[in-house]
Amino acid sequence: MIDKRADDLARAFEGLGDGISVMIGGFGDAGRPAYLLKALLDSGIKDLHFISNNAGDGDTGLGAFYHAGRVRKLSCSFPRGSVAPLMEKLIRAGEFELEVMPQGTLAERIRAAGAGIPAFFTPTSYGTLIAEGKETRDFDGRGHVLETALHADVALIHAEQADRFGNLTFRHLARNFSPLMASAAKRTIVEADHVVELGDIDAHNVHSPAIFTDLVYQCHDVPEDSWHDWRASA
Amino acid sequence: MIDKRADDLARAFEGLGDGISVMIGGFGDAGRPAYLLKALLDSGIKDLHFISNNAGDGDTGLGAFYHAGRVRKLSCSFPRGSVAPLMEKLIRAGEFELEVMPQGTLAERIRAAGAGIPAFFTPTSYGTLIAEGKETRDFDGRGHVLETALHADVALIHAEQADRFGNLTFRHLARNFSPLMASAAKRTIVEADHVVELGDIDAHNVHSPAIFTDLVYQCHDVPEDSWHDWRASA
Amino acid sequence: MTPLSRNGIAARVALDIQDGWHVNLGIGMPEMVANYLPEGREILLHSENGILGMGPSPAEEDVDWTLINAGKKPVTALPGASYFDHAWSFGIIRGRHLELCVLGGYQVAPNGDLANWARDANDPLPAIGGAMDLAAGAQRIFVMMTHNDKSGAPKLLESCSFPLTGAGIVKKVYTDLCVIDVADNRFTVTDMVEGLTREELQNRTGAPLHFADQVAVLKDPA
Amino acid sequence: MTPLSRNGIAARVALDIQDGWHVNLGIGMPEMVANYLPEGREILLHSENGILGMGPSPAEEDVDWTLINAGKKPVTALPGASYFDHAWSFGIIRGRHLELCVLGGYQVAPNGDLANWARDANDPLPAIGGAMDLAAGAQRIFVMMTHNDKSGAPKLLESCSFPLTGAGIVKKVYTDLCVIDVADNRFTVTDMVEGLTREELQNRTGAPLHFADQVAVLKDPA
């Protein structure tokens, strides 16, 4: 029997240690897996390599990890938000590495990892600073840059619905990077607003098919205050 | 106002002439755009380059075009079916060119065309006859083959539902290549079982977004006999 | 001489958006263009976070934080909208399906180069977002910006000194002072605000200006 | 000595499919494996034309020609099935998400090479379909075929003479006579039908056979 539903958050990161790469679904707050991020924070795992479009804000969610000194590297497209000054300080101290790339390149590199494509050419960033040192090639007279697949050890995903096989739907624009990340990580952990019965999600309208999902948790709100536990443990 | 709905089939191929490349959605009969294929046959356009997973069967649908001597080239993954002997005869007579590639490579080349990716590496076909003469490269110790985007002048698509913007849904596995082809052709022509009102298709469950669609026709059955008109015109 | 307000620039850009176009409005000032889309034209707005057919801001009680634009502001979905993942969304961008993208700009050069993501090649926190994909992928790039920066320095220059977003991609520039066609390696002014002389405009610009045979009066169309 | 029927081979293959696996069954004989999936195991069948969670053939009155398998035969969708386009479907294949693919075979060699798409490099109508993607992408490839071709010639050979589908990818071979592990550049027999001697089996095979310490009796499990 295939039953990916789980209760015990300890299972989520079982067998994983410091230094893992973690993809985090979401664009801004839409599709941000706050419940699982809190579980990751509580797990104590450090030296994390985050792969996330946005850097995070404040000292909750993603932001808490910078404050707690738990992130070694961030791969993203848009390192803005209120964590920026702290990130800058960490970079200058040599304690943090930032890899910034165009958003479409980030998405396509993740999609490529899930789809078994090790590398592709894209016109994006050709002729810019971002392309420096990269292999380039002309197609139809236009310059293109070679980019490689971006894999991860773990993906944390927030879904609207999930069934026991791990089929997912997303609300409005909470979809964004999530199906791509689900396909690109060795272990895909899902929090869902609604854990539903098999067949409740119409086969036509599954947004991320079961095969990419490893674990499904019922999502719960994370009290604002609880993010600050890192202060005690830091 | 955006209204892609059309009645007059003459509009479908307006301004297009002999030698065009035509992507044809469908896998077997699932998602095969019979109504538009008949319109293409009636248009008299010849020297066609078909891009279709399957070669076709019998002397209706795709098959009619071989009998009528209207296809110059077929790019596909699976040239079997009852048209095979005729295709073989045409190939030996030098009147027909066949390009066969792995099904996933066909799909990914079409997807790449729609997504602005001019070329990508795939592990599929490495070390086989199909890879001969192609650029190869190792990634993580595995051989890969460079494949390029496959564009077309026209895509013919069968949808279950279409609205006036051109948003599409597909029934069961009639989806297959269709959204990819819709994105990869200069002109995407759709036949739909149901032409519906704007908003009837939930934004969450659009299978092919409006931006790829150019024309929407209400689909009608094609009488079996009518395929044989080519005999008169040939 | 009265420069256009930001709303005025937005309204002027909107006039040049044709019926039936699929358009991405960049983060910041370009977002305002959505408020001025001309009556009678049906224009589908795309946002890189996965929507085609984006509508105006919702009433406060209807805000849903899973329905936001690329600038993370709440929006709505029009009838006929569609949602898709980031692979499709950037496939739409990179695959040249959008007729237009309107971007903000730090610097534009007559060869069509645009700089809009970093003011310093050594910026420790360079924020690219979707701009480079839009620059490389949209069929046309319109840039919307103030003619001069806060210190009065020109943003239209012989060549960009800031890191490029894209090379040779800008088709038109809309500022608070004028509208400029970018083609054939030169800036050609097509619209100017009233009470501004060509010499004054040239003085506030860091590259030679050419002028169309007919230069229209640029005023707030709203 | 009674060779296994095709159904018998299918049933034997099915025994080796683990609970929870996502499996693609190739066109032809492998499709029959679906009829023998062991009770108590939940196995999700994938078909390259865009489904995960494929069910058995429908009753005749329920046939829907938009719901077919890769062999174009009518199928059903189980509760919990999902449909997707060909880019996702082959992403699942090429991205190594399937635990298993069962393919038919023309020839298999001890190095794991498989030929199953053309009997002649100059075949004017070579039919590849999804086989090369499956060969390159699935985590494991099991091959299911008769031990000898219609003329009695062996299909297990020192090296494949037909054009390859994939190089070094076969993990197990199931024939009407035996089950073979393919590893370390050799064939190791793990199961044999009753009444067949090792010498007879070797005589019907075009490459040296090794034998497991315990060779199980191969019989129709159905």
Side-chain angles (χ1 to χ4, degrees), chain A residues 4-18:
Chain A
K4 299 175 179 170
R5 292 171 297 185
D7 290 317
D8 181 5
L9 281 168
R11 252 184 88 187
F13 306 102
E14 204 166 59
L16 300 173
D18 296 345

Side-chain angles (χ1 to χ4, degrees), chain B:
Chain B
M1 180 168 166
I2 302 174
D3 193 352
K4 299 175 181 170
R5 292 172 297 184
D7 292 316
D8 181 6
L9 280 168
R11 251 184 88 187
F13 305 103
E14 203 167 60
L16 299 174
D18 295 346
I20 55 171
S21 51
V22 183
M23 288 176 171
I24 299 150
F27 183 96
D29 282 337
R32 186 69 73 194
Y35 180 65
L36 292 174
L37 276 171
K38 181 61 169 53
L40 178 60
L41 192 69
D42 292 343
S43 77
I45 297 174
K46 59 183 190 298
D47 290 329
L48 293 162
H49 173 193
F50 277 167
I51 299 162
S52 164
N53 185 63
N54 302 98
D57 261 314
D59 56 1
T60 65
L62 276 178
F65 288 82
Y66 305 102
H67 287 276
R70 298 271 291 281
V71 196
R72 169 180 49 90
K73 180 176 177 180
L74 171 68
S75 299
C76 74
S77 89
F78 205 73
R80 289 283 160 86
S82 63
V83 295
L86 175 58
M87 280 202 299
E88 192 167 342
K89 199 179 116 199
L90 292 169
I91 292 168
R92 291 195 197 282
E95 290 168 9
F96 179 69
E97 183 189 345
L98 184 63
E99 178 191 25
V100 181
M101 69 195 92
Q103 194 171 138
T105 298
L106 177 62
E108 189 69 7
R109 291 182 64 193
I110 296 169
R111 188 258 169 196
I117 299 294
F120 59 89
F121 285 96
T122 174
T124 301
S125 89
Y126 182 79
T128 77
L129 197 62
I130 296 296
E132 274 180 25
K134 290 188 177 163
E135 181 175 335
T136 60
R137 193 182 295 199
D138 274 19
F139 292 93
D140 285 331
R142 265 188 103 192
H144 291 78
V145 182
L146 186 70
E147 297 283 356
T148 56
L150 184 58
H151 297 263
D153 296 308
V154 173
L156 305 184
I157 302 299
H158 179 95
E160 182 172 29
Q161 294 177 295
D163 62 26
R164 71 172 165 88
F165 283 180
N167 289 302
L168 309 180
T169 67
F170 302 95
R171 182 169 172 80
H172 298 305
L173 309 189
R175 191 177 322 184
N176 57 68
F177 287 88
S178 295
L180 316 178
M181 289 178 169
S183 77
K186 289 197 198 97
R187 185 184 302 180
T188 292
I189 312 172
V190 174
E191 58 174 59
D193 289 328
H194 306 287
V195 178
V196 300
E197 292 303 310
L198 228 50
D200 283 358
I201 306 175
D202 183 338
H204 291 84
N205 301 327
V206 169
H207 300 151
S208 185
I211 195 166
F212 302 130
T213 300
D214 293 289
L215 288 168
V216 171
Y217 289 90
Q218 170 66 53
C219 181
H220 298 284
D221 281 342
V222 182
E224 186 88 4
D225 271 1
S226 69
W227 289 103
H228 304 145
D229 295 351
W230 59 264
R231 290 208 182 108
S233 65

Side-chain angles (χ1 to χ4, degrees), chain A residues 4-231:
Chain A
K4 299 175 179 170
R5 292 171 297 185
D7 290 317
D8 181 5
L9 281 168
R11 252 184 88 187
F13 306 102
E14 204 166 59
L16 300 173
D18 296 345
I20 55 171
S21 52
V22 183
M23 288 177 171
I24 299 149
F27 184 96
D29 282 337
R32 186 68 75 194
Y35 180 66
L36 292 173
L37 277 170
K38 182 59 170 53
L40 177 60
L41 192 68
D42 292 344
S43 76
I45 297 174
K46 58 183 192 297
D47 291 329
L48 293 162
H49 173 192
F50 276 170
I51 298 162
S52 165
N53 184 63
N54 303 97
D57 262 313
D59 57 359
T60 65
L62 276 179
F65 288 82
Y66 306 102
H67 287 277
R70 299 272 291 280
V71 197
R72 169 180 49 89
K73 180 175 177 180
L74 171 67
S75 299
C76 73
S77 89
F78 205 73
R80 289 282 159 86
S82 63
V83 296
L86 174 58
M87 279 202 300
E88 192 169 344
K89 201 180 115 197
L90 292 168
I91 292 167
R92 292 195 198 282
E95 290 169 7
F96 179 69
E97 184 189 345
L98 184 64
E99 179 192 24
V100 181
M101 69 195 92
Q103 194 171 138
T105 298
L106 177 63
E108 190 68 9
R109 290 182 64 193
I110 296 168
R111 188 259 169 195
I117 301 293
F120 58 89
F121 285 97
T122 174
T124 301
S125 89
Y126 181 79
T128 76
L129 197 62
I130 296 296
E132 274 180 23
K134 290 187 176 162
E135 179 175 336
T136 61
R137 192 182 296 198
D138 273 19
F139 293 93
D140 285 331
R142 265 189 102 194
H144 291 78
V145 182
L146 185 70
E147 296 283 356
T148 55
L150 184 59
H151 296 263
D153 296 307
V154 172
L156 304 184
I157 302 298
H158 180 95
E160 182 171 30
Q161 294 177 296
D163 62 27
R164 71 173 166 88
F165 282 0
N167 289 303
L168 310 180
T169 67
F170 301 95
R171 184 170 171 80
H172 297 305
L173 309 189
R175 191 177 321 185
N176 55 69
F177 288 87
S178 295
L180 317 178
M181 289 177 168
S183 77
K186 289 197 199 97
R187 185 184 304 179
T188 292
I189 312 171
V190 174
E191 58 175 59
D193 289 329
H194 307 286
V195 178
V196 300
E197 293 302 310
L198 229 50
D200 282 358
I201 305 175
D202 182 339
H204 291 84
N205 301 327
V206 170
H207 299 151
S208 185
I211 196 167
F212 302 129
T213 300
D214 293 289
L215 287 168
V216 172
Y217 289 91
Q218 169 66 53
C219 181
H220 297 283
D221 282 340
V222 182
E224 186 88 3
D225 272 1
S226 69
W227 290 105
H228 304 143
D229 296 352
W230 59 264
R231 289 205 181 110

